[in-house]
Amino acid sequence: MSSMNGRRRSGAEPMTARSALRTRTAFATVGLIVGVALAVVCAFWGGRSPGGGAAAWTLVALGVVVTIISAVDLWVLRRRLRR
């Protein structure tokens, strides 16, 4: 059996199997937006709090981590979708 792109099937997946790359791209985009928003809002909140706002800066770090992971995931997905 051959698939639509001319290559032979390598597993037991159905002929109409669909890729989850577009859904993953949507989730990574939402993660990027939420991560940037979280970092910006919490940085503003931490800068305006009188005690330095250790909790706010922890949330900024979390937002930066989410943003970096989402950006790397989008970069990988972009390379995969081009092929």
Side-chain angles (χ1 to χ4, degrees), residues 3-83:
S3 64
M4 293 175 67
N5 63 3
R7 291 187 284 175
R8 293 184 54 84
R9 291 177 47 214
S10 62
E13 73 275 0
M15 290 295 291
T16 58
R18 301 180 80 182
S19 173
L21 292 178
R22 289 203 162 91
T23 304
R24 188 171 150 195
T25 302
F27 283 135
T29 302
V30 169
L32 185 72
I33 293 168
V34 168
V36 169
L38 179 68
V40 169
V41 167
C42 291
F44 181 73
W45 174 45
R48 308 236 328 144
S49 63
W57 295 113
T58 302
L59 289 174
V60 169
L62 179 66
V64 169
V65 168
V66 167
T67 301
I68 291 171
I69 290 171
S70 296
V72 169
D73 195 25
L74 284 170
W75 178 76
V76 168
L77 288 168
R78 182 177 177 194
R79 290 180 51 102
R80 282 193 183 172
L81 288 173
R82 283 188 173 191
R83 292 182 183 184

